[in-house]
Amino acid sequence: MRILVTNDDGIFADGLWKLVRELKKIGPVVVVAPDREQSAVGTAVTLRQPLRVRKLNGMLPGVETYSVEGTPSDSVILALSKLAKNGIDLVVSGINSGPNLGDDVFISGTVGAALQGHFHGLPALAISIDAAADSPHLEGAAKIAALLAKRIDEGSLPRDVFLNVNVPGLPLEEIKGVSVTRLANQTHGNTVAARERHNGRQPYYWLVRRRLPQETDTKTDIGAIEQGNISITPLQTNLLSRPSTAITHSLCSDLLRELREEKNS
Ligand code: MN
């Protein structure tokens, strides 16, 4: 199985290379990743600027490596359409430093890259660790990714989902179990910190995201991680495709008629 590895922490992140070392035991690995930190860029693609790509030699023997002056999604698109000449069977994104839980999946570049693989019809997984970039537990998380990759190779992943995996920042012997979870709701509060500037200049702002108080539902991704479990959340792209008669009626009926009346008034 030919594996594309990418991330959003940038091509020199330790988490990415720990992942590559484990995955190359299963099959040939191509690394295509942003040339800099791209966390929280979500699914962004670059359409109004050229994309510069550099081939990096000697990162890891036998691993073709490209850095992209763009987003994680850009990296996956370039890899699948231009750079990975022999084709790709699986897209793996990570290991992100810091968890991607609940609402995070909508802004996470790590998950965004896996989503792009899924859009291309490939099995894909994002993996994050609830720990800092220099965590001693990255190797354990990388081994988990490799085990999952093997099972995906054996056909264990349905075509209509991709995976968001979160690993507690614990030694493997302290991890309690593996839970298949759903996303927690409303996981963050956003606050804005204003910084005054002197000399009459404009103030500037920092967005600060804070995890909301403890999740009690152990069936969610956050609940699983808080209990010391590995969380595997299957994600789908049909976010809300069920037609709802209530919505159709209260939101949409007579909309066109009213629009025409507006126009004529
Ligand atoms: Mn990141």
Side-chain angles (χ1 to χ4, degrees), residues 12-260:
F12 299 109
D14 204 21
L16 180 139
W17 291 102
K18 291 278 182 350
L19 189 56
V20 172
R21 280 175 200 282
E22 287 300 323
L23 291 175
K24 74 194 270 283
K25 296 174 187 168
I26 306 176
V29 171
V30 178
V31 174
V32 184
D35 65 355
R36 66 199 76 181
E37 167 67 56
Q38 289 279 328
S39 292
V41 302
T43 57
V45 291
T46 305
L47 299 178
R48 290 164 208 280
Q49 269 168 220
L51 287 173
R52 294 189 173 81
V53 176
R54 273 206 320 156
K55 186 165 190 183
L56 303 185
N57 294 315
M59 293 297 287
L60 197 62
V63 178
E64 219 176 302
T65 305
Y66 301 89
S67 78
V68 174
E69 198 182 340
T71 67
S73 286
D74 294 336
S75 303
V76 173
I77 294 167
L78 277 171
L80 298 182
S81 35
K82 290 282 175 209
L83 302 173
K85 301 268 180 339
N86 299 321
I88 291 294
D89 304 304
L90 170 69
V91 176
V92 182
S93 177
I95 300 167
N96 189 64
S97 161
N100 278 306
L101 300 162
D103 299 347
D104 290 338
V105 303
F106 295 100
I107 64 161
S108 162
T110 309
V111 179
L115 174 65
Q116 197 56 244
H118 180 68
F119 281 157
H120 282 79
L122 294 172
L125 75 92
I127 181 160
S128 306
I129 188 166
D130 189 4
D134 58 352
S135 168
H137 310 308
L138 281 172
E139 268 160 39
K143 285 186 199 304
I144 291 155
L147 288 173
L148 281 169
K150 264 190 222 159
R151 297 203 180 181
I152 290 170
D153 195 25
E154 290 157 11
S156 302
L157 184 69
R159 301 295 287 185
D160 60 343
V161 297
F162 67 106
L163 299 180
N164 184 39
V165 180
N166 281 275
V167 181
L170 296 170
L172 283 181
E173 56 274 18
E174 284 177 36
I175 290 178
K176 299 233 171 60
V178 178
S179 304
V180 176
T181 56
R182 60 179 171 76
L183 294 177
N185 290 321
Q186 289 198 317
T187 57
H188 283 87
N190 286 317
T191 52
V192 178
R195 300 272 189 278
E196 294 302 327
R197 298 192 71 166
H198 301 296
N199 311 328
R201 294 225 194 110
Q202 295 268 12
Y204 61 96
Y205 303 96
W206 283 99
L207 294 188
V208 184
R209 302 191 92 224
R210 289 209 174 81
R211 180 95 64 86
L212 292 174
Q214 218 182 13
E215 173 77 29
T216 49
D217 186 343
T218 56
K219 293 192 176 63
T220 66
D221 50 0
I222 294 184
I225 284 285
E226 284 182 352
Q227 303 276 318
N229 293 297
I230 294 164
S231 165
I232 300 178
T233 315
L235 298 177
Q236 283 189 306
T237 49
N238 56 340
L239 295 178
L240 184 60
S241 57
R242 282 165 294 145
S244 150
T245 47
I247 287 178
T248 306
H249 187 74
S250 65
L251 194 69
C252 303
S253 68
D254 290 336
L255 201 56
L256 188 58
R257 182 180 56 74
E258 283 181 37
L259 183 66
R260 285 179 178 145

